[in-house]
Amino acid sequence: MSNEHVLDIRKIMEMLPHRYPFLLVDRVLEFESGVRLKAYKNVSMNENYFQGHFPGLPVMPGVLQLEALAQAGGIFVMNSVEESLGDKIFLFTGLNKVKFRRPVVPGDRLELNVFYERHKLNMWKMRGVAEVDGQVTAQGEFSATVANKGDM
């Protein structure tokens, strides 16, 4: 891995439109164009969803683990295409074979692994695996499209 593929939060914020409290990728560690991406999210007790999920037993919602994988997938696509995406946005279009394997709690470092499956035109298929300390927490296949912001 070379340092040119490591993306810090400033570079991630240049790519993704998400902001607090919905930006769920803290750093990209590894990237192989058209192959895979590895990133992470540091899970803190300060996350606003822990107030209600669940009081006295804080657990990161599984759908937010999937959203973190989707955001990592967006970064993967933006770095894999040759041309600039300009005024386009990456939109989640589907989920398949989703499994939740273990809870994610405050203090965990959620590793986000995205693997390329295929794409045609603006439609992308990827496989995502979220892990904490080498144990799978969530996994699934997801699809997404690159769309014009003005068409929304």
Side-chain angles (χ1 to χ4, degrees):
M1 174 189 85
S2 69
N3 285 340
E4 67 192 49
H5 295 302
V6 174
L7 301 176
D8 64 17
I9 193 65
R10 292 179 308 250
K11 291 176 185 169
I12 291 168
M13 290 175 70
E14 289 173 10
M15 292 180 187
L16 295 179
H18 306 80
R19 294 296 178 263
Y20 176 83
F22 216 67
L23 180 58
L24 299 174
V25 178
D26 290 331
R27 182 175 294 266
V28 173
L29 299 172
E30 299 176 17
F31 171 75
E32 291 179 62
S33 182
V35 179
R36 69 182 188 90
L37 178 137
K38 179 189 277 190
Y40 68 82
K41 160 77 177 139
N42 287 316
V43 181
S44 165
M45 187 60 197
N46 293 326
E47 310 287 348
N48 62 357
Y49 48 80
F50 286 137
Q51 292 178 25
H53 199 268
F54 301 100
L57 182 65
V59 175
M60 182 180 191
V63 294
L64 291 182
Q65 294 178 54
L66 296 178
E67 175 62 28
L69 284 167
Q71 290 178 20
I75 295 167
F76 171 80
V77 170
M78 289 178 196
N79 282 289
S80 292
V81 296
E82 296 290 323
E83 71 280 354
S84 168
L85 294 180
D87 198 33
K88 296 189 179 190
I89 191 166
F90 185 75
L91 298 171
F92 215 4
T93 59
L95 290 166
N96 289 305
K97 300 181 181 174
V98 171
K99 302 276 188 211
F100 298 105
R101 302 289 186 190
R102 136 188 208 302
V104 175
V105 297
D108 284 345
R109 178 171 151 164
L110 185 65
E111 185 176 293
L112 308 166
N113 298 286
V114 175
F115 304 94
Y116 173 83
E117 294 287 322
R118 66 185 176 280
H119 83 277
K120 184 174 183 180
L121 301 173
N122 288 334
M123 291 296 296
W124 290 75
K125 299 266 185 186
M126 289 166 273
R127 183 173 48 88
V129 179
E131 299 177 337
V132 171
D133 297 329
Q135 295 181 336
V136 175
T137 65
Q139 63 190 54
E141 299 171 352
F142 51 98
S143 58
T145 188
V146 178
N148 292 319
K149 285 182 189 176
D151 293 342
M152 297 182 61

